[in-house]
Amino acid sequence: MATDSRLPQFRALSPAQRWDVIAKACQLSDEDRALLTQPGALPSSVADGMIENVIGTFELPLGVAGNFQVNGRDVLVPLAVEEPSIIAAASYMAKLAREDGGFQTSSTQPLMRAQVQIVGIQDPYGVRLALYQARARILELANSRDKVLIGLGGGCKDIEVHVFPDSPRGPMVVMHLIVDVRDAMGANTVNTMAESVSPLVEQITGGSVRLRILSNLADLRLARARVRLTPQTLKTAERSGEEIIEGVLDAYTFAAIDPYRAATHNKGIMNGIDPVIVATGNDWRAVEAGAHAYASRHGRYTSLTTWEKDGTGALVGTIELPMPVGLVGGATKTHPLARLALRIMDVKSAQELGEIAAAVGLAQNLGALRALATEGIQRGHMALHARNIALVAGAVGEEVDQVAKRLAAEHDVRTDRALEVLAELRQR
């Protein structure tokens, strides 16, 4: 598979030429090429089995971020996204990062939570201890529902019991099943287990079970990434690396202390993560929900990343967030392009996929902070957005680049200006 994630002059190539580069790097077939280059990668018959009331399919651009080196391995990262500048920014930050060793990642075990809500009780703390006393029976029953998962080393590993003695609906107890879901996202598995143990829970507690559902705050299933960049790596023709580092630290601190800034800061992180999740057929909404809840875990919404200087003056960035992703089940297995995306990445486990996604989120965050601390976010973004505006104005073929370059040079990326430029080109 891929041995070098560097893609020199990749943007200058045509889509067909880009395909040839990726196909060679990842040893892809002509059938893979057809999936990417011809319409109908997702047949209506398959789509009809995925969701309800299907009337068609909806396409997003699928690009590749280059230059990523994760734990010493080069990775080509497919991203499905509609917004310009995301892939360019992530790729450029990855290019800088690889000069100082790339990204280092780690993750916890793939543990998901299923919640079982118990109401109609008078002694919630007594119920808590009764459930813990019956732990072995509860685990045995939960694990009887999925012998395949048990055979793979997964299964329900433990329980937690949370007490809410004074809710508006009276005393309430919530039991969590802690389930190792291996390479699955795990929603169906944990939901099934929660439902299967509910009669036993009612028998043990004398209460009534209401909700039996997974939690998307997957705080036991974390992915982490770290990057270190020296001032020499970060310097530009206009600014020293030390100046850029100080600007990044000021921008990060703003997000760390102010939830209004943190919301946009974290959205930028998810600009990098979500497209990876979408491209691989995973549930980006679950990842989003878990990430933002995790950002509030200390009672105040704050940054998902940290940025600091080490003893040598280098910039060190880290990210840690829930990453409930899978390689088996759902759209990951049914969508042909999701399967192809996983092959391009050459990932062997759900944990590895989550770690790569975290690294992309960290790279995207660095790109945004660096731009905000220097020339501003709009300069690079609008230059790339100019192609979209040219298309909106009706440009075709070579006209798209000609109009886009003119708009970018003028720093005037507007549809009405694009119409004027296009008219001038055609008059010539």
Side-chain angles (χ1 to χ4, degrees), residues 109-146:
Q109 291 297 305
L111 299 176
M112 296 292 289
R113 296 178 183 268
Q115 295 183 289
V116 180
Q117 178 196 28
I118 308 152
V119 299
I121 51 177
Q122 299 303 315
D123 55 337
Y125 291 99
V127 165
R128 174 178 177 269
L129 292 189
L131 288 168
Y132 277 127
Q133 185 179 14
R135 172 183 175 276
R137 295 166 60 199
I138 294 169
L139 295 184
E140 181 181 9
L141 180 57
N143 285 326
S144 70
R145 307 301 299 176
D146 197 332

PDB file of all heavy atoms in Angstrom, residues 109-146:
ATOM      1  N   GLN A 109      -9.081   1.508  24.634  1.00  0.00           N
ATOM      2  CA  GLN A 109      -9.827   0.373  24.103  1.00  0.00           C
ATOM      3  C   GLN A 109     -11.189   0.850  23.555  1.00  0.00           C
ATOM      4  O   GLN A 109     -11.717   1.880  24.000  1.00  0.00           O
ATOM      5  CB  GLN A 109     -10.048  -0.670  25.194  1.00  0.00           C
ATOM      6  CG  GLN A 109      -8.773  -1.382  25.632  1.00  0.00           C
ATOM      7  CD  GLN A 109      -8.146  -2.178  24.510  1.00  0.00           C
ATOM      8  OE1 GLN A 109      -8.794  -3.029  23.904  1.00  0.00           O
ATOM      9  NE2 GLN A 109      -6.888  -1.897  24.221  1.00  0.00           N
ATOM     10  N   PRO A 110     -11.770   0.107  22.625  1.00  0.00           N
ATOM     11  CA  PRO A 110     -13.036   0.532  22.009  1.00  0.00           C
ATOM     12  C   PRO A 110     -14.242   0.232  22.897  1.00  0.00           C
ATOM     13  O   PRO A 110     -15.073  -0.644  22.609  1.00  0.00           O
ATOM     14  CB  PRO A 110     -13.075  -0.273  20.710  1.00  0.00           C
ATOM     15  CG  PRO A 110     -12.318  -1.525  21.013  1.00  0.00           C
ATOM     16  CD  PRO A 110     -11.220  -1.106  21.956  1.00  0.00           C
ATOM     17  N   LEU A 111     -14.342   0.964  23.991  1.00  0.00           N
ATOM     18  CA  LEU A 111     -15.406   0.737  24.974  1.00  0.00           C
ATOM     19  C   LEU A 111     -16.541   1.735  24.768  1.00  0.00           C
ATOM     20  O   LEU A 111     -16.329   2.943  24.725  1.00  0.00           O
ATOM     21  CB  LEU A 111     -14.865   0.884  26.395  1.00  0.00           C
ATOM     22  CG  LEU A 111     -13.749  -0.082  26.805  1.00  0.00           C
ATOM     23  CD1 LEU A 111     -13.243   0.257  28.202  1.00  0.00           C
ATOM     24  CD2 LEU A 111     -14.233  -1.525  26.748  1.00  0.00           C
ATOM     25  N   MET A 112     -17.746   1.205  24.647  1.00  0.00           N
ATOM     26  CA  MET A 112     -18.948   2.025  24.508  1.00  0.00           C
ATOM     27  C   MET A 112     -19.845   1.811  25.726  1.00  0.00           C
ATOM     28  O   MET A 112     -19.791   0.773  26.383  1.00  0.00           O
ATOM     29  CB  MET A 112     -19.703   1.654  23.236  1.00  0.00           C
ATOM     30  CG  MET A 112     -18.934   1.947  21.950  1.00  0.00           C
ATOM     31  SD  MET A 112     -18.712   3.708  21.629  1.00  0.00           S
ATOM     32  CE  MET A 112     -20.378   4.192  21.187  1.00  0.00           C
ATOM     33  N   ARG A 113     -20.686   2.800  25.986  1.00  0.00           N
ATOM     34  CA  ARG A 113     -21.627   2.738  27.103  1.00  0.00           C
ATOM     35  C   ARG A 113     -23.053   2.538  26.595  1.00  0.00           C
ATOM     36  O   ARG A 113     -23.473   3.201  25.639  1.00  0.00           O
ATOM     37  CB  ARG A 113     -21.598   4.040  27.901  1.00  0.00           C
ATOM     38  CG  ARG A 113     -20.299   4.373  28.584  1.00  0.00           C
ATOM     39  CD  ARG A 113     -20.420   5.724  29.283  1.00  0.00           C
ATOM     40  NE  ARG A 113     -19.181   6.148  29.914  1.00  0.00           N
ATOM     41  CZ  ARG A 113     -18.846   5.891  31.174  1.00  0.00           C
ATOM     42  NH1 ARG A 113     -19.674   5.194  31.943  1.00  0.00           N
ATOM     43  NH2 ARG A 113     -17.707   6.332  31.687  1.00  0.00           N
ATOM     44  N   ALA A 114     -23.790   1.647  27.251  1.00  0.00           N
ATOM     45  CA  ALA A 114     -25.239   1.557  27.069  1.00  0.00           C
ATOM     46  C   ALA A 114     -25.887   1.939  28.391  1.00  0.00           C
ATOM     47  O   ALA A 114     -25.480   1.462  29.453  1.00  0.00           O
ATOM     48  CB  ALA A 114     -25.649   0.145  26.670  1.00  0.00           C
ATOM     49  N   GLN A 115     -26.893   2.803  28.329  1.00  0.00           N
ATOM     50  CA  GLN A 115     -27.551   3.274  29.546  1.00  0.00           C
ATOM     51  C   GLN A 115     -28.903   2.583  29.722  1.00  0.00           C
ATOM     52  O   GLN A 115     -29.687   2.484  28.777  1.00  0.00           O
ATOM     53  CB  GLN A 115     -27.754   4.787  29.485  1.00  0.00           C
ATOM     54  CG  GLN A 115     -26.454   5.575  29.461  1.00  0.00           C
ATOM     55  CD  GLN A 115     -26.724   7.070  29.474  1.00  0.00           C
ATOM     56  OE1 GLN A 115     -27.195   7.637  28.498  1.00  0.00           O
ATOM     57  NE2 GLN A 115     -26.430   7.712  30.601  1.00  0.00           N
ATOM     58  N   VAL A 116     -29.145   2.137  30.943  1.00  0.00           N
ATOM     59  CA  VAL A 116     -30.423   1.530  31.313  1.00  0.00           C
ATOM     60  C   VAL A 116     -31.023   2.372  32.433  1.00  0.00           C
ATOM     61  O   VAL A 116     -30.497   2.415  33.546  1.00  0.00           O
ATOM     62  CB  VAL A 116     -30.236   0.067  31.764  1.00  0.00           C
ATOM     63  CG1 VAL A 116     -31.585  -0.539  32.151  1.00  0.00           C
ATOM     64  CG2 VAL A 116     -29.562  -0.762  30.672  1.00  0.00           C
ATOM     65  N   GLN A 117     -32.115   3.066  32.134  1.00  0.00           N
ATOM     66  CA  GLN A 117     -32.750   3.992  33.078  1.00  0.00           C
ATOM     67  C   GLN A 117     -33.781   3.253  33.937  1.00  0.00           C
ATOM     68  O   GLN A 117     -34.660   2.576  33.402  1.00  0.00           O
ATOM     69  CB  GLN A 117     -33.420   5.122  32.300  1.00  0.00           C
ATOM     70  CG  GLN A 117     -34.160   6.121  33.155  1.00  0.00           C
ATOM     71  CD  GLN A 117     -35.105   6.979  32.334  1.00  0.00           C
ATOM     72  OE1 GLN A 117     -35.605   6.541  31.296  1.00  0.00           O
ATOM     73  NE2 GLN A 117     -35.371   8.190  32.793  1.00  0.00           N
ATOM     74  N   ILE A 118     -33.674   3.428  35.252  1.00  0.00           N
ATOM     75  CA  ILE A 118     -34.567   2.748  36.192  1.00  0.00           C
ATOM     76  C   ILE A 118     -35.311   3.802  37.004  1.00  0.00           C
ATOM     77  O   ILE A 118     -34.705   4.655  37.654  1.00  0.00           O
ATOM     78  CB  ILE A 118     -33.778   1.824  37.132  1.00  0.00           C
ATOM     79  CG1 ILE A 118     -32.870   0.896  36.317  1.00  0.00           C
ATOM     80  CG2 ILE A 118     -34.725   1.022  38.020  1.00  0.00           C
ATOM     81  CD1 ILE A 118     -31.633   0.458  37.053  1.00  0.00           C
ATOM     82  N   VAL A 119     -36.636   3.746  36.978  1.00  0.00           N
ATOM     83  CA  VAL A 119     -37.475   4.680  37.725  1.00  0.00           C
ATOM     84  C   VAL A 119     -38.412   3.880  38.630  1.00  0.00           C
ATOM     85  O   VAL A 119     -38.409   2.652  38.634  1.00  0.00           O
ATOM     86  CB  VAL A 119     -38.289   5.580  36.758  1.00  0.00           C
ATOM     87  CG1 VAL A 119     -37.358   6.410  35.881  1.00  0.00           C
ATOM     88  CG2 VAL A 119     -39.226   4.738  35.900  1.00  0.00           C
ATOM     89  N   GLY A 120     -39.221   4.608  39.413  1.00  0.00           N
ATOM     90  CA  GLY A 120     -40.188   3.944  40.290  1.00  0.00           C
ATOM     91  C   GLY A 120     -39.551   3.255  41.464  1.00  0.00           C
ATOM     92  O   GLY A 120     -39.999   2.182  41.904  1.00  0.00           O
ATOM     93  N   ILE A 121     -38.488   3.844  42.013  1.00  0.00           N
ATOM     94  CA  ILE A 121     -37.771   3.261  43.146  1.00  0.00           C
ATOM     95  C   ILE A 121     -37.740   4.281  44.282  1.00  0.00           C
ATOM     96  O   ILE A 121     -37.805   5.488  44.066  1.00  0.00           O
ATOM     97  CB  ILE A 121     -36.330   2.865  42.758  1.00  0.00           C
ATOM     98  CG1 ILE A 121     -35.623   4.061  42.084  1.00  0.00           C
ATOM     99  CG2 ILE A 121     -36.324   1.668  41.828  1.00  0.00           C
ATOM    100  CD1 ILE A 121     -34.189   3.826  41.728  1.00  0.00           C
ATOM    101  N   GLN A 122     -37.622   3.789  45.523  1.00  0.00           N
ATOM    102  CA  GLN A 122     -37.583   4.667  46.688  1.00  0.00           C
ATOM    103  C   GLN A 122     -36.197   4.703  47.339  1.00  0.00           C
ATOM    104  O   GLN A 122     -35.870   5.641  48.058  1.00  0.00           O
ATOM    105  CB  GLN A 122     -38.614   4.209  47.714  1.00  0.00           C
ATOM    106  CG  GLN A 122     -40.044   4.238  47.199  1.00  0.00           C
ATOM    107  CD  GLN A 122     -40.457   5.616  46.721  1.00  0.00           C
ATOM    108  OE1 GLN A 122     -40.202   6.623  47.385  1.00  0.00           O
ATOM    109  NE2 GLN A 122     -41.110   5.671  45.566  1.00  0.00           N
ATOM    110  N   ASP A 123     -35.399   3.668  47.095  1.00  0.00           N
ATOM    111  CA  ASP A 123     -34.096   3.555  47.754  1.00  0.00           C
ATOM    112  C   ASP A 123     -32.989   3.492  46.701  1.00  0.00           C
ATOM    113  O   ASP A 123     -32.386   2.444  46.485  1.00  0.00           O
ATOM    114  CB  ASP A 123     -34.047   2.308  48.638  1.00  0.00           C
ATOM    115  CG  ASP A 123     -34.388   1.043  47.848  1.00  0.00           C
ATOM    116  OD1 ASP A 123     -35.067   1.150  46.804  1.00  0.00           O
ATOM    117  OD2 ASP A 123     -33.943  -0.033  48.273  1.00  0.00           O
ATOM    118  N   PRO A 124     -32.684   4.614  46.011  1.00  0.00           N
ATOM    119  CA  PRO A 124     -31.758   4.564  44.874  1.00  0.00           C
ATOM    120  C   PRO A 124     -30.362   4.071  45.236  1.00  0.00           C
ATOM    121  O   PRO A 124     -29.739   3.367  44.425  1.00  0.00           O
ATOM    122  CB  PRO A 124     -31.726   6.011  44.379  1.00  0.00           C
ATOM    123  CG  PRO A 124     -32.178   6.840  45.542  1.00  0.00           C
ATOM    124  CD  PRO A 124     -33.167   5.985  46.268  1.00  0.00           C
ATOM    125  N   TYR A 125     -29.873   4.398  46.432  1.00  0.00           N
ATOM    126  CA  TYR A 125     -28.539   3.929  46.794  1.00  0.00           C
ATOM    127  C   TYR A 125     -28.541   2.439  47.118  1.00  0.00           C
ATOM    128  O   TYR A 125     -27.560   1.726  46.845  1.00  0.00           O
ATOM    129  CB  TYR A 125     -27.995   4.755  47.974  1.00  0.00           C
ATOM    130  CG  TYR A 125     -27.697   6.180  47.575  1.00  0.00           C
ATOM    131  CD1 TYR A 125     -28.605   7.199  47.862  1.00  0.00           C
ATOM    132  CD2 TYR A 125     -26.539   6.486  46.872  1.00  0.00           C
ATOM    133  CE1 TYR A 125     -28.352   8.512  47.470  1.00  0.00           C
ATOM    134  CE2 TYR A 125     -26.274   7.794  46.478  1.00  0.00           C
ATOM    135  CZ  TYR A 125     -27.187   8.801  46.773  1.00  0.00           C
ATOM    136  OH  TYR A 125     -26.923  10.089  46.388  1.00  0.00           O
ATOM    137  N   GLY A 126     -29.649   1.960  47.670  1.00  0.00           N
ATOM    138  CA  GLY A 126     -29.777   0.517  47.867  1.00  0.00           C
ATOM    139  C   GLY A 126     -29.847  -0.209  46.537  1.00  0.00           C
ATOM    140  O   GLY A 126     -29.252  -1.290  46.375  1.00  0.00           O
ATOM    141  N   VAL A 127     -30.575   0.364  45.579  1.00  0.00           N
ATOM    142  CA  VAL A 127     -30.656  -0.212  44.228  1.00  0.00           C
ATOM    143  C   VAL A 127     -29.270  -0.266  43.593  1.00  0.00           C
ATOM    144  O   VAL A 127     -28.905  -1.253  42.939  1.00  0.00           O
ATOM    145  CB  VAL A 127     -31.633   0.613  43.372  1.00  0.00           C
ATOM    146  CG1 VAL A 127     -31.458   0.285  41.891  1.00  0.00           C
ATOM    147  CG2 VAL A 127     -33.071   0.354  43.804  1.00  0.00           C
ATOM    148  N   ARG A 128     -28.498   0.783  43.786  1.00  0.00           N
ATOM    149  CA  ARG A 128     -27.134   0.820  43.223  1.00  0.00           C
ATOM    150  C   ARG A 128     -26.321  -0.385  43.697  1.00  0.00           C
ATOM    151  O   ARG A 128     -25.699  -1.093  42.875  1.00  0.00           O
ATOM    152  CB  ARG A 128     -26.452   2.132  43.631  1.00  0.00           C
ATOM    153  CG  ARG A 128     -24.982   2.250  43.245  1.00  0.00           C
ATOM    154  CD  ARG A 128     -24.433   3.614  43.654  1.00  0.00           C
ATOM    155  NE  ARG A 128     -23.017   3.716  43.353  1.00  0.00           N
ATOM    156  CZ  ARG A 128     -22.038   3.400  44.182  1.00  0.00           C
ATOM    157  NH1 ARG A 128     -22.333   2.933  45.406  1.00  0.00           N
ATOM    158  NH2 ARG A 128     -20.772   3.528  43.823  1.00  0.00           N
ATOM    159  N   LEU A 129     -26.342  -0.631  44.984  1.00  0.00           N
ATOM    160  CA  LEU A 129     -25.545  -1.743  45.503  1.00  0.00           C
ATOM    161  C   LEU A 129     -26.114  -3.090  45.095  1.00  0.00           C
ATOM    162  O   LEU A 129     -25.366  -4.054  44.877  1.00  0.00           O
ATOM    163  CB  LEU A 129     -25.444  -1.639  47.025  1.00  0.00           C
ATOM    164  CG  LEU A 129     -24.619  -0.470  47.561  1.00  0.00           C
ATOM    165  CD1 LEU A 129     -24.406  -0.611  49.062  1.00  0.00           C
ATOM    166  CD2 LEU A 129     -23.276  -0.364  46.847  1.00  0.00           C
ATOM    167  N   ALA A 130     -27.454  -3.179  44.959  1.00  0.00           N
ATOM    168  CA  ALA A 130     -28.056  -4.429  44.509  1.00  0.00           C
ATOM    169  C   ALA A 130     -27.604  -4.767  43.083  1.00  0.00           C
ATOM    170  O   ALA A 130     -27.353  -5.939  42.759  1.00  0.00           O
ATOM    171  CB  ALA A 130     -29.580  -4.328  44.575  1.00  0.00           C
ATOM    172  N   LEU A 131     -27.504  -3.748  42.238  1.00  0.00           N
ATOM    173  CA  LEU A 131     -27.044  -3.976  40.860  1.00  0.00           C
ATOM    174  C   LEU A 131     -25.589  -4.413  40.839  1.00  0.00           C
ATOM    175  O   LEU A 131     -25.207  -5.332  40.095  1.00  0.00           O
ATOM    176  CB  LEU A 131     -27.240  -2.712  40.026  1.00  0.00           C
ATOM    177  CG  LEU A 131     -28.692  -2.371  39.670  1.00  0.00           C
ATOM    178  CD1 LEU A 131     -28.800  -0.971  39.102  1.00  0.00           C
ATOM    179  CD2 LEU A 131     -29.266  -3.392  38.680  1.00  0.00           C
ATOM    180  N   TYR A 132     -24.760  -3.772  41.655  1.00  0.00           N
ATOM    181  CA  TYR A 132     -23.354  -4.189  41.696  1.00  0.00           C
ATOM    182  C   TYR A 132     -23.218  -5.616  42.222  1.00  0.00           C
ATOM    183  O   TYR A 132     -22.363  -6.389  41.760  1.00  0.00           O
ATOM    184  CB  TYR A 132     -22.536  -3.231  42.564  1.00  0.00           C
ATOM    185  CG  TYR A 132     -22.092  -1.982  41.832  1.00  0.00           C
ATOM    186  CD1 TYR A 132     -22.347  -0.721  42.350  1.00  0.00           C
ATOM    187  CD2 TYR A 132     -21.401  -2.078  40.626  1.00  0.00           C
ATOM    188  CE1 TYR A 132     -21.930   0.429  41.685  1.00  0.00           C
ATOM    189  CE2 TYR A 132     -20.986  -0.945  39.953  1.00  0.00           C
ATOM    190  CZ  TYR A 132     -21.253   0.309  40.483  1.00  0.00           C
ATOM    191  OH  TYR A 132     -20.830   1.434  39.817  1.00  0.00           O
ATOM    192  N   GLN A 133     -24.073  -5.994  43.167  1.00  0.00           N
ATOM    193  CA  GLN A 133     -24.021  -7.356  43.690  1.00  0.00           C
ATOM    194  C   GLN A 133     -24.372  -8.364  42.610  1.00  0.00           C
ATOM    195  O   GLN A 133     -23.839  -9.487  42.585  1.00  0.00           O
ATOM    196  CB  GLN A 133     -24.970  -7.499  44.879  1.00  0.00           C
ATOM    197  CG  GLN A 133     -24.893  -8.866  45.558  1.00  0.00           C
ATOM    198  CD  GLN A 133     -25.839  -8.962  46.751  1.00  0.00           C
ATOM    199  OE1 GLN A 133     -26.720  -8.126  46.927  1.00  0.00           O
ATOM    200  NE2 GLN A 133     -25.667  -9.992  47.570  1.00  0.00           N
ATOM    201  N   ALA A 134     -25.244  -7.957  41.687  1.00  0.00           N
ATOM    202  CA  ALA A 134     -25.693  -8.854  40.616  1.00  0.00           C
ATOM    203  C   ALA A 134     -24.864  -8.686  39.343  1.00  0.00           C
ATOM    204  O   ALA A 134     -25.263  -9.156  38.273  1.00  0.00           O
ATOM    205  CB  ALA A 134     -27.157  -8.592  40.316  1.00  0.00           C
ATOM    206  N   ARG A 135     -23.709  -8.029  39.456  1.00  0.00           N
ATOM    207  CA  ARG A 135     -22.892  -7.721  38.279  1.00  0.00           C
ATOM    208  C   ARG A 135     -22.624  -8.941  37.409  1.00  0.00           C
ATOM    209  O   ARG A 135     -22.777  -8.902  36.182  1.00  0.00           O
ATOM    210  CB  ARG A 135     -21.571  -7.103  38.744  1.00  0.00           C
ATOM    211  CG  ARG A 135     -20.529  -6.888  37.647  1.00  0.00           C
ATOM    212  CD  ARG A 135     -19.226  -6.347  38.220  1.00  0.00           C
ATOM    213  NE  ARG A 135     -18.184  -6.248  37.209  1.00  0.00           N
ATOM    214  CZ  ARG A 135     -17.395  -7.242  36.829  1.00  0.00           C
ATOM    215  NH1 ARG A 135     -17.546  -8.459  37.387  1.00  0.00           N
ATOM    216  NH2 ARG A 135     -16.474  -7.067  35.897  1.00  0.00           N
ATOM    217  N   ALA A 136     -22.223 -10.042  38.002  1.00  0.00           N
ATOM    218  CA  ALA A 136     -21.864 -11.233  37.225  1.00  0.00           C
ATOM    219  C   ALA A 136     -23.058 -11.745  36.425  1.00  0.00           C
ATOM    220  O   ALA A 136     -22.910 -12.143  35.249  1.00  0.00           O
ATOM    221  CB  ALA A 136     -21.326 -12.325  38.148  1.00  0.00           C
ATOM    222  N   ARG A 137     -24.240 -11.762  37.014  1.00  0.00           N
ATOM    223  CA  ARG A 137     -25.446 -12.213  36.298  1.00  0.00           C
ATOM    224  C   ARG A 137     -25.777 -11.284  35.143  1.00  0.00           C
ATOM    225  O   ARG A 137     -26.156 -11.732  34.051  1.00  0.00           O
ATOM    226  CB  ARG A 137     -26.635 -12.279  37.267  1.00  0.00           C
ATOM    227  CG  ARG A 137     -26.500 -13.314  38.364  1.00  0.00           C
ATOM    228  CD  ARG A 137     -27.546 -13.091  39.461  1.00  0.00           C
ATOM    229  NE  ARG A 137     -28.908 -13.191  38.936  1.00  0.00           N
ATOM    230  CZ  ARG A 137     -29.978 -12.695  39.547  1.00  0.00           C
ATOM    231  NH1 ARG A 137     -29.841 -12.059  40.710  1.00  0.00           N
ATOM    232  NH2 ARG A 137     -31.174 -12.838  39.026  1.00  0.00           N
ATOM    233  N   ILE A 138     -25.622  -9.979  35.374  1.00  0.00           N
ATOM    234  CA  ILE A 138     -25.936  -9.001  34.327  1.00  0.00           C
ATOM    235  C   ILE A 138     -24.967  -9.150  33.152  1.00  0.00           C
ATOM    236  O   ILE A 138     -25.379  -9.173  31.985  1.00  0.00           O
ATOM    237  CB  ILE A 138     -25.875  -7.565  34.909  1.00  0.00           C
ATOM    238  CG1 ILE A 138     -26.992  -7.377  35.937  1.00  0.00           C
ATOM    239  CG2 ILE A 138     -25.983  -6.528  33.794  1.00  0.00           C
ATOM    240  CD1 ILE A 138     -26.866  -6.098  36.752  1.00  0.00           C
ATOM    241  N   LEU A 139     -23.676  -9.286  33.450  1.00  0.00           N
ATOM    242  CA  LEU A 139     -22.687  -9.448  32.384  1.00  0.00           C
ATOM    243  C   LEU A 139     -22.932 -10.733  31.599  1.00  0.00           C
ATOM    244  O   LEU A 139     -22.829 -10.757  30.364  1.00  0.00           O
ATOM    245  CB  LEU A 139     -21.268  -9.465  32.970  1.00  0.00           C
ATOM    246  CG  LEU A 139     -20.760  -8.186  33.643  1.00  0.00           C
ATOM    247  CD1 LEU A 139     -19.307  -8.355  34.061  1.00  0.00           C
ATOM    248  CD2 LEU A 139     -20.908  -6.984  32.723  1.00  0.00           C
ATOM    249  N   GLU A 140     -23.234 -11.804  32.297  1.00  0.00           N
ATOM    250  CA  GLU A 140     -23.471 -13.085  31.618  1.00  0.00           C
ATOM    251  C   GLU A 140     -24.649 -12.982  30.666  1.00  0.00           C
ATOM    252  O   GLU A 140     -24.583 -13.461  29.523  1.00  0.00           O
ATOM    253  CB  GLU A 140     -23.725 -14.177  32.661  1.00  0.00           C
ATOM    254  CG  GLU A 140     -23.956 -15.552  32.036  1.00  0.00           C
ATOM    255  CD  GLU A 140     -24.229 -16.630  33.075  1.00  0.00           C
ATOM    256  OE1 GLU A 140     -24.407 -16.293  34.264  1.00  0.00           O
ATOM    257  OE2 GLU A 140     -24.288 -17.828  32.697  1.00  0.00           O
ATOM    258  N   LEU A 141     -25.726 -12.352  31.105  1.00  0.00           N
ATOM    259  CA  LEU A 141     -26.897 -12.217  30.248  1.00  0.00           C
ATOM    260  C   LEU A 141     -26.600 -11.308  29.059  1.00  0.00           C
ATOM    261  O   LEU A 141     -26.975 -11.618  27.919  1.00  0.00           O
ATOM    262  CB  LEU A 141     -28.076 -11.662  31.059  1.00  0.00           C
ATOM    263  CG  LEU A 141     -29.394 -11.471  30.292  1.00  0.00           C
ATOM    264  CD1 LEU A 141     -29.847 -12.777  29.650  1.00  0.00           C
ATOM    265  CD2 LEU A 141     -30.473 -10.933  31.224  1.00  0.00           C
ATOM    266  N   ALA A 142     -25.917 -10.190  29.303  1.00  0.00           N
ATOM    267  CA  ALA A 142     -25.582  -9.285  28.204  1.00  0.00           C
ATOM    268  C   ALA A 142     -24.720  -9.983  27.166  1.00  0.00           C
ATOM    269  O   ALA A 142     -24.939  -9.852  25.955  1.00  0.00           O
ATOM    270  CB  ALA A 142     -24.865  -8.051  28.747  1.00  0.00           C
ATOM    271  N   ASN A 143     -23.761 -10.750  27.599  1.00  0.00           N
ATOM    272  CA  ASN A 143     -22.836 -11.398  26.679  1.00  0.00           C
ATOM    273  C   ASN A 143     -23.443 -12.596  25.965  1.00  0.00           C
ATOM    274  O   ASN A 143     -22.894 -13.076  24.969  1.00  0.00           O
ATOM    275  CB  ASN A 143     -21.572 -11.820  27.425  1.00  0.00           C
ATOM    276  CG  ASN A 143     -20.675 -10.633  27.731  1.00  0.00           C
ATOM    277  OD1 ASN A 143     -20.599  -9.687  26.960  1.00  0.00           O
ATOM    278  ND2 ASN A 143     -20.007 -10.676  28.882  1.00  0.00           N
ATOM    279  N   SER A 144     -24.579 -13.067  26.447  1.00  0.00           N
ATOM    280  CA  SER A 144     -25.241 -14.184  25.764  1.00  0.00           C
ATOM    281  C   SER A 144     -25.861 -13.740  24.439  1.00  0.00           C
ATOM    282  O   SER A 144     -26.257 -14.580  23.632  1.00  0.00           O
ATOM    283  CB  SER A 144     -26.325 -14.778  26.664  1.00  0.00           C
ATOM    284  OG  SER A 144     -27.418 -13.874  26.808  1.00  0.00           O
ATOM    285  N   ARG A 145     -25.916 -12.435  24.199  1.00  0.00           N
ATOM    286  CA  ARG A 145     -26.590 -11.908  23.006  1.00  0.00           C
ATOM    287  C   ARG A 145     -25.665 -11.814  21.797  1.00  0.00           C
ATOM    288  O   ARG A 145     -26.134 -11.564  20.691  1.00  0.00           O
ATOM    289  CB  ARG A 145     -27.170 -10.518  23.310  1.00  0.00           C
ATOM    290  CG  ARG A 145     -28.070 -10.462  24.537  1.00  0.00           C
ATOM    291  CD  ARG A 145     -29.246 -11.389  24.397  1.00  0.00           C
ATOM    292  NE  ARG A 145     -30.091 -11.043  23.261  1.00  0.00           N
ATOM    293  CZ  ARG A 145     -31.143 -11.738  22.880  1.00  0.00           C
ATOM    294  NH1 ARG A 145     -31.470 -12.847  23.515  1.00  0.00           N
ATOM    295  NH2 ARG A 145     -31.868 -11.343  21.832  1.00  0.00           N
ATOM    296  N   ASP A 146     -24.347 -11.932  21.996  1.00  0.00           N
ATOM    297  CA  ASP A 146     -23.436 -11.721  20.854  1.00  0.00           C
ATOM    298  C   ASP A 146     -22.208 -12.608  21.007  1.00  0.00           C
ATOM    299  O   ASP A 146     -21.146 -12.174  21.439  1.00  0.00           O
ATOM    300  CB  ASP A 146     -23.034 -10.244  20.770  1.00  0.00           C
ATOM    301  CG  ASP A 146     -22.453  -9.872  19.403  1.00  0.00           C
ATOM    302  OD1 ASP A 146     -21.877 -10.753  18.749  1.00  0.00           O
ATOM    303  OD2 ASP A 146     -22.591  -8.698  18.997  1.00  0.00           O
TER     304      ASP A 146
END
